[in-house]
Amino acid sequence: MDSYLGLAQSKVKPRSVVDAFSNRTATIKKRPPRPAGTPSRVSFAVTLCRSTPSASEEHRLLLEKYKKLEASYLSLEGEYAKVKSEKESIQIAYEELQESYNNVTAKNFNAGKLLVYLKLKRRTDKETLEKRNIIKNEACFNTYLQDVVMLDHPRIPRVIHECITVLESNDKFMKSPGLYRVSGDHNAIQNLRYDINANNYKRLHKQKSPHEVCGILKLFLRELKDPLISLEQCAKYIPDVIQMKINTRSKVVQLINSLDTVRQNTLKVLMKHLRNVAAIEENEVDAFSLGLLFSSLIFNETLADVCPVKFQKLTAVPRECIIVMMEDYEAIFK
C-alpha cells in the first residue's frame, strides 16, 4: 500500500497477494487458552436452570403463602366483628345514660346504672379487705385499745393525754361555749388524724380552736373497735335503771374494778377532765349533757343497731354511770 494514503500498514509485509490474504491471522492477537476447571457457557446455563425453582414449586410456595394470609384475614375479621359489637353495646348504654341524665332529678337518680351498663365489679367490702391484710388497722384510730400508742405513766392512750393537755392548758379553750357539743372543722380533724397516726402531735398543739381538739378525742373513742366499757359487761352489774338507783356508787365501783388497768386509768383521766369542764360556767356545759354525750362514746355499742323505741331505755344506764363517775370522782377513783 502507498504510504501517502495514510492507511495503516502491516508490520509483516506479505511476499505475494495470495500470501497477504492467507496470512491475515498473523496480525490478530490470539486469545489465551481457557483455564482447566472453568465451566463453559453451556454448562453455566444448565446450572442456572437447575438452581431456579420450577413453576410447580413456585406455585406451591405461593399457595402456602396465600393460605397463611387467608387465615390471618379471617382472625382479624373475627376480632373486628367483636370490637364492633362491643362498640354498639357501649353506644347503646351511653345513649340510655344520656337520656337518663337528661330526665334525672334528685329523687330518681340511680348511680348504680353505670356499674350495670359497663359491667364493672363492685368494690370488695371493708371486712374482706381487712381479712386479706390489704387494709390494716391504723396506728391510733379505728383500731383496738391494746394496739394504740400508750404513755408509760399513767398507762393511757397518748392521744387522750395530748388532747386533755391542750385543752386544760388554755383557759380560753376551757371557757369556750359549747365545748364538746360544737362540731369542729371536718377537714382539720382529718388532717390531725393523719398526723396522730404518724405519732406527730405538733399540729394538735398549734390549734387555735378547741372544737377540733375535742373532735379528735371524740373520734378516737367513737372508733375504738373494743369500747372502754361494753354494754354486756355493764349489764352484769347494772341490768336496768331500777337497779341503778339502788347502791349506785358501789355498783359503778364494781363495774370499774372489773376492767383492765388501761381502761381504769383511761376512765380516771377522762372523768377528772370532764369534771373540770363541767365546773366552768362559761362553757355552758353541765354534767348531764356531758354524761349524755360521752355515754355514746365510752359505751360506743349503745348506738349500734338500736331501735328508736328502745334507745332511751338503753342509753339511760350508761348516761347515769358517767354522771356518777363525774360527781363521785374521789370516792370511785381512789
Side-chain angles (χ1 to χ4, degrees), residues 181-196:
R181 291 192 292 110
V182 177
S183 299
D185 182 76
H186 176 73
N187 294 331
I189 293 175
Q190 290 302 315
N191 291 331
L192 289 170
R193 175 185 187 144
Y194 299 142
D195 289 345
I196 293 172

Side-chain angles (χ1 to χ4, degrees), residues 206-218:
K206 294 179 181 179
Q207 291 298 308
K208 298 181 179 180
S209 171
H211 304 302
E212 285 72 26
V213 182
C214 296
I216 284 293
L217 180 57
K218 292 188 292 184

Side-chain angles (χ1 to χ4, degrees), residues 3-126:
S3 59
Y4 71 88
L5 294 176
L7 300 174
Q9 296 182 2
S10 176
K11 294 181 180 181
V12 182
K13 293 183 180 182
R15 288 172 292 181
S16 64
V17 176
V18 178
D19 189 19
F21 284 99
S22 63
N23 200 28
R24 61 188 181 85
T25 57
T27 61
I28 302 174
K29 188 177 181 180
K30 294 183 179 181
R31 181 177 298 174
R34 186 184 301 274
T38 304
S40 63
R41 292 184 178 180
V42 177
S43 63
F44 179 75
V46 173
T47 305
L48 184 63
C49 291
R50 288 178 180 176
S51 62
T52 306
S54 62
S56 60
E57 182 70 17
E58 186 176 358
H59 175 71
R60 186 182 64 81
L61 294 174
L62 290 174
L63 188 61
E64 290 180 357
K65 188 176 181 180
Y66 168 76
K67 289 181 179 179
K68 291 180 180 180
L69 291 174
E70 186 178 14
S72 178
Y73 170 76
L74 292 176
S75 64
L76 289 174
E77 191 175 22
E79 291 180 3
Y80 170 75
K82 184 179 178 180
V83 171
K84 186 177 179 180
S85 63
E86 290 180 357
K87 178 187 175 184
E88 291 176 355
S89 62
I90 292 175
Q91 183 68 26
I92 294 173
Y94 171 77
E95 292 176 356
E96 292 181 359
L97 284 174
Q98 187 68 29
E99 183 180 357
S100 176
Y101 176 77
N102 293 334
N103 300 328
V104 74
T105 60
K107 295 181 180 180
N108 62 7
F109 177 73
N110 186 5
K113 287 184 178 181
L114 184 62
L115 298 176
V116 175
Y117 289 143
L118 299 181
K119 298 179 180 179
L120 297 177
K121 293 182 179 180
R122 296 185 181 274
R123 290 184 176 180
T124 310
D125 57 349
K126 187 177 179 181

Side-chain angles (χ1 to χ4, degrees), residues 114-180:
L114 184 62
L115 298 176
V116 175
Y117 289 143
L118 299 181
K119 298 179 180 179
L120 297 177
K121 293 182 179 180
R122 296 185 181 274
R123 290 184 176 180
T124 310
D125 57 349
K126 187 177 179 181
E127 294 181 359
T128 305
L129 294 176
E130 288 179 351
K131 290 179 181 179
R132 294 178 183 176
N133 238 359
I134 297 175
I135 295 180
K136 298 182 179 180
N137 291 331
E138 300 178 50
C140 185
F141 297 90
N142 194 26
T143 186
Y144 296 95
L145 184 63
Q146 61 186 7
D147 298 331
V148 178
V149 178
M150 299 283 180
L151 288 180
D152 293 332
H153 184 75
R155 188 159 179 77
I156 63 172
R158 182 182 177 185
V159 60
I160 293 180
H161 171 75
E162 296 289 344
C163 290
I164 293 176
T165 302
V166 171
L167 291 172
E168 294 189 350
S169 62
N170 192 328
D171 292 338
K172 185 178 179 181
F173 283 2
M174 293 293 286
K175 295 179 180 179
S176 178
L179 195 64
Y180 284 109

Side-chain angles (χ1 to χ4, degrees), residues 236-255:
K236 292 180 181 179
Y237 300 95
I238 311 172
D240 51 31
V241 182
I242 297 175
Q243 296 293 328
M244 184 75 184
K245 296 178 180 180
I246 305 172
N247 297 326
T248 305
R249 183 189 301 172
S250 62
K251 291 182 179 179
V252 173
V253 171
Q254 292 176 6
L255 174 62

